[in-house]
Amino acid sequence: MLFFIAKRLVGVVITLFVIITLSFLIIRITPGSPFSQERDVPVEVLEALKAKYGFDKPLHKQYFQYIGNVVKGDLGLSIKYSNRTVNEIIKISLPKTMQIGFLALIWAILVGFVGGAIAAVKQNTKWDYGLMSIAMCGISIPPLVSGPLLILVFALALPWFPTSGWGSWKHVVLPSISLGSVYAAYIARLTRGGMLEVIRSNYIRTARAKGLSEKAVVVKHALKGGILPVVTFLGPAVASIMVGSVVVEKIFNTPGMGPYFVDAAFNRDYFLLMGVVIVYAVFLLLLNLLVDIAYGFIDPRIRFE
Amino acid sequence: MSLLKISDLRTYFKMEGNVVKAVDGVDFELEKGEIVGIVGESGSGKSVTCLSIMKLIPEPPGFYPTGSIEFMGKDLMKLNTKQMSKIRGNQISMIFQDPMSSLNPFLTVETQLTEVLEIHQNKTRKEAQKIAIDILERVGIANAPRRIKQFPHEFSGGMRQRVMIAMALLCRPELLIADEPTTALDVTIQAQILELMKDLNRDFGTSIIFITHNMGVVAGMTDRIVVMYAGKMVEKASTSDLFETPKHPYTNALLSSIPRLDIDDQGSLTPIPGLPPDLSDLPSGCSFHPRCKFADDQCKAAYPDRIELSKDRMAACWKVNV
């Protein structure tokens, strides 16, 4: 088990290295520069700026210097937000994004899981059809629509929550629901599918033949196998929930990390963009590792080798 | 009074507007300590009969238009789900065809065994564990205290079927229903499992309903046999009568398709021509007539009456006296 984790961590580092290298190259090859503006900047100023960020050196030297800095944990300076380091920006914005993400995740798992399980147990009844229709709506309605709708209802019509901004726990609720609903819908559908497959299996018939109550059959015998597809989905889902949604954070005007993804790309803010990519990649890789470990705990047939 | 008395059991399924008559009139009795075999090809209604006794047919699409299942004086057809759960696994147990998929891969053998005792006999986990280990040893699992902590995938096919049998016997049921318990196992393991079931029948006095399509297996196991074809009971007899003087052409055909070691020049085996009929589109008259070499116009026109040949001996065929 420990050996398995160690081996996978080495893999994570290698993958991360490849991701950093490719992103670095792609970002630099893309036309445009952080200093291109509508009005031309004097040549001397431009040279000075380039020197400040080390862009005057050949690309391979910049690359090795960047890798060296990343290993030391230094993600460089932001170009757009001058005099702020990328580390600082991420340190301030990521926790806010993660707060929203965490609540969204709890909401998504709770609603998706219970909804999906009920739909599976009551397959082809009005419960099933109702819940799956709601799930279908959940998948089809993106935060771009659900966000303003939630504000309209729960901030303006019923003044329970603030429309936007940051400060109290109340600011987190609406963005979390908006962000989590799509995931809740996916989880509900996956749970239903997984549970249905298990409920039809022979060992569930055995459990019924033993005289277990329907509740015990579902909770004790069907749930573990039924959630496996959900666990697989959760790895990448948690990663993208945790680094935030551009749309949700723009709509609710949350000072999170999501908008930096897009802004940094538009502004050619090389180091900030790289920093955001690295954070996302680390989340994704570690959570996938976590999913594989979780699999081993849920399904005893899986061995860590 | 017999332990189990099934009268006019019918189990139908509603499928896309069609009614599929999976079991269409089955009657038999089972005395305490007796072993009754149900034989027939795939799709003849053997398994559905047994799942109906346990009331394990999903409703809908399944339903029971007629029939009563009297077990120890109670009609199981009249019990609700909760009352039925008290009987399942406690007084009537069932073992299934495929031991590979019939045990829960996510739970240890211990959990799967002890929960039966916990629900039916209010045993604590510790008491249940002791009983479970004893019974695992009884069914021939060596090193039971260690093995019980393992998961099903750590057992071989034959060992898993032993675990299934142990699970079924935990509460010392009056009746054990075995649905093709040896079909998925290889021949040497088959013999061991059959031997084990015979021992348990003798030692505990457990009555057994034994479902199989293997005539060789029923010959050595059972006291009486029910032959089913296309959901209907076509012949019922004591095992010796059935093998010596089969009355129904279908029984006869089943018997001639068994390979035999005691006849030197047997030539080729005689298979039954054709396939079992589609239950949603049965042939007119006797369902067996398209495959029967004695069939004539009468067979095509009407389903034959059951002819009581003697006590406990019945055949449903127009040609029974031929």
Side-chain angles (χ1 to χ4, degrees):
Chain A
M1 173 82 175
L2 279 176
F3 179 72
F4 166 82
I5 296 174
K7 210 171 77 178
R8 284 290 305 268
L9 279 176
V10 173
V12 165
V13 172
I14 294 170
T15 317
L16 201 57
F17 176 75
V18 173
I19 291 172
I20 292 174
T21 306
L22 285 176
S23 318
F24 187 89
L25 284 175
I26 292 167
I27 290 170
R28 291 309 176 91
I29 291 168
T30 320
S33 110
F35 312 117
S36 46
Q37 288 171 359
E38 282 180 20
R39 253 179 21 158
D40 279 341
V41 181
V43 182
E44 305 84 59
V45 178
L46 202 63
E47 292 304 322
L49 277 172
K50 280 189 174 172
K52 181 183 172 192
Y53 294 101
F55 296 152
D56 51 346
K57 294 186 196 121
L59 194 61
H60 67 271
K61 277 204 176 143
Q62 289 183 42
Y63 169 72
F64 287 118
Q65 198 187 353
Y66 183 70
I67 292 285
N69 287 340
V70 169
V71 171
K72 278 183 271 173
D74 174 12
L75 296 171
L77 278 171
S78 166
I79 300 164
K80 175 84 190 301
Y81 310 94
S82 40
N83 299 324
R84 289 180 70 191
T85 63
V86 174
N87 291 43
E88 204 180 291
I89 293 176
I90 291 176
K91 213 170 126 187
I92 292 170
S93 62
L94 186 62
K96 292 174 183 144
T97 291
M98 282 176 72
Q99 274 182 46
I100 296 175
F102 191 69
L103 200 67
L105 194 67
I106 291 176
W107 159 254
I109 292 176
L110 219 66
V111 170
F113 208 64
V114 173
I118 291 174
V121 172
K122 303 196 180 287
Q123 192 201 358
N124 293 336
T125 63
K126 55 184 184 225
W127 282 92
D128 182 19
Y129 297 138
L131 284 164
M132 283 304 112
S133 309
I134 296 171
M136 208 58 227
C137 294
I139 290 174
S140 330
I141 300 175
L144 185 67
V145 179
S146 71
L149 216 62
L150 285 170
I151 293 177
L152 218 60
V153 178
F154 296 106
L156 299 175
L158 307 163
W160 295 347
F161 298 103
T163 51
S164 63
W166 193 254
S168 70
W169 64 270
K170 280 189 171 177
H171 288 94
V172 187
V173 176
L174 291 185
S176 301
I177 293 174
S178 174
L179 178 62
S181 295
V182 177
Y183 293 94
Y186 271 111
I187 291 172
R189 288 170 62 86
L190 284 171
T191 308
R192 177 179 180 270
M195 291 284 285
L196 278 183
E197 198 154 298
V198 171
I199 282 173
R200 285 196 205 104
S201 71
N202 286 342
Y203 63 82
I204 294 301
R205 190 182 56 189
T206 309
R208 293 209 174 98
K210 285 199 278 194
L212 266 66
S213 67
E214 198 54 27
K215 196 177 132 215
V217 168
V218 172
V219 173
K220 199 168 175 189
H221 284 264
L223 222 51
K224 253 188 165 183
I227 61 167
L228 277 180
V230 182
V231 173
T232 316
F233 170 74
L234 273 182
V238 172
S240 48
I241 266 188
M242 283 301 178
V243 296
S245 150
V246 185
V247 177
V248 168
E249 295 189 0
K250 284 269 186 201
I251 290 173
F252 291 94
N253 202 15
T254 312
M257 206 180 80
Y260 288 115
F261 241 125
V262 176
D263 290 350
F266 274 127
N267 297 330
R268 302 285 185 276
D269 196 338
Y270 291 153
F271 296 125
L272 181 57
L273 184 53
M274 283 300 295
V276 178
V277 167
I278 290 172
V279 169
Y280 183 54
V282 169
F283 263 107
L284 197 61
L285 292 169
L286 289 183
L287 281 162
N288 273 323
L289 174 60
L290 209 64
V291 164
D292 288 351
I293 296 170
Y295 248 87
F297 279 106
I298 296 171
D299 190 341
R301 287 168 297 185
I302 291 171
R303 276 196 210 126
F304 297 113
E305 268 162 16
Chain B
M1 189 179 66
S2 26
L3 179 72
L4 179 78
K5 182 170 191 247
I6 299 177
S7 324
D8 198 28
L9 175 69
R10 287 167 209 269
T11 310
Y12 294 178
F13 292 88
K14 230 179 216 131
M15 294 284 186
E16 288 151 15
N18 262 344
V19 172
V20 176
K21 301 177 176 178
V23 175
D24 200 17
V26 167
D27 310 68
F28 67 90
E29 289 179 33
L30 185 71
E31 303 298 329
K32 188 153 177 53
E34 206 179 18
I35 307 183
V36 165
I38 303 182
V39 295
E41 286 165 289
S42 310
S44 58
K46 315 180 294 273
S47 295
V48 178
T49 302
C50 290
L51 289 171
S52 304
I53 299 173
M54 291 287 268
K55 299 277 284 298
L56 281 174
I57 299 290
E59 296 169 71
F63 64 102
Y64 309 97
T66 66
S68 71
I69 301 169
E70 264 175 58
F71 174 73
M72 297 172 77
K74 270 179 284 189
D75 185 358
L76 302 185
M77 279 294 173
K78 295 202 172 82
L79 299 186
N80 62 28
T81 319
K82 208 172 166 193
Q83 293 165 319
M84 201 57 219
S85 331
K86 287 201 177 118
I87 291 177
R88 287 181 196 147
N90 190 13
Q91 290 166 304
I92 308 179
S93 293
M94 190 157 182
I95 47 181
F96 297 97
Q97 179 172 350
D98 185 5
M100 299 298 175
S101 62
S102 295
L103 288 166
N104 190 330
F106 301 105
L107 303 174
T108 59
V109 166
E110 177 175 351
T111 310
Q112 300 188 53
L113 289 174
T114 50
E115 68 179 356
V116 182
L117 293 162
E118 282 163 20
I119 48 172
H120 291 306
Q121 300 187 348
N122 289 322
K123 293 267 193 280
T124 63
R125 181 81 182 213
K126 233 187 173 130
E127 295 166 332
Q129 193 186 25
K130 201 181 157 294
I131 299 171
I133 290 174
D134 284 348
I135 203 130
L136 280 181
E137 276 166 354
R138 178 68 190 75
V139 299
I141 288 182
N143 227 335
R146 189 177 61 82
R147 295 286 268 168
I148 198 171
K149 301 280 179 205
Q150 293 181 326
F151 289 95
H153 70 272
E154 295 169 273
F155 289 75
S156 67
M159 285 295 161
R160 280 185 226 187
Q161 199 58 295
R162 284 171 198 266
V163 172
M164 283 297 290
I165 294 173
M167 191 188 284
L169 294 176
L170 278 169
C171 296
R172 298 284 168 94
E174 312 294 325
L175 172 62
L176 176 67
I177 301 172
D179 187 357
E180 308 211 22
T182 59
T183 307
L185 306 174
D186 62 60
V187 182
T188 45
I189 307 294
Q190 245 184 52
Q192 292 171 14
I193 296 288
L194 293 176
E195 208 47 52
L196 173 66
M197 292 185 63
K198 267 194 277 186
D199 285 353
L200 297 170
N201 165 255
R202 200 178 46 233
D203 299 351
F204 296 165
T206 311
S207 308
I208 301 177
I209 296 178
F210 195 95
I211 306 181
T212 181
H213 57 253
N214 186 335
M215 290 299 261
V217 168
V218 277
M221 278 291 289
T222 58
D223 302 311
R224 288 187 300 122
I225 296 177
V226 172
V227 182
M228 289 187 69
Y229 187 79
K232 289 192 165 70
M233 199 168 73
V234 295
E235 184 162 2
K236 188 164 77 171
S238 72
T239 305
S240 53
D241 283 351
L242 191 95
F243 275 84
E244 277 159 29
T245 52
K247 292 293 182 188
H248 197 282
Y250 179 60
T251 315
N252 218 336
L254 280 178
L255 290 173
S256 16
S257 55
I258 313 174
R260 299 192 45 177
L261 293 174
D262 54 340
I263 299 174
D264 275 346
D265 186 21
Q266 197 180 1
S268 53
L269 289 171
T270 324
I272 308 175
L275 290 169
D278 178 357
L279 287 176
S280 59
D281 184 23
L282 285 176
S284 63
C286 170
S287 336
F288 188 58
H289 85 254
R291 303 170 75 189
C292 180
K293 57 185 172 189
F294 305 108
D296 60 16
D297 288 345
Q298 188 185 24
C299 303
K300 285 175 197 163
Y303 195 86
D305 295 328
R306 288 179 181 175
I307 296 163
E308 303 288 339
L309 297 154
S310 60
K311 190 183 175 295
D312 282 342
R313 176 113 220 233
M314 181 285 286
C317 178
W318 293 116
K319 306 286 167 197
V320 94
N321 296 316
V322 177

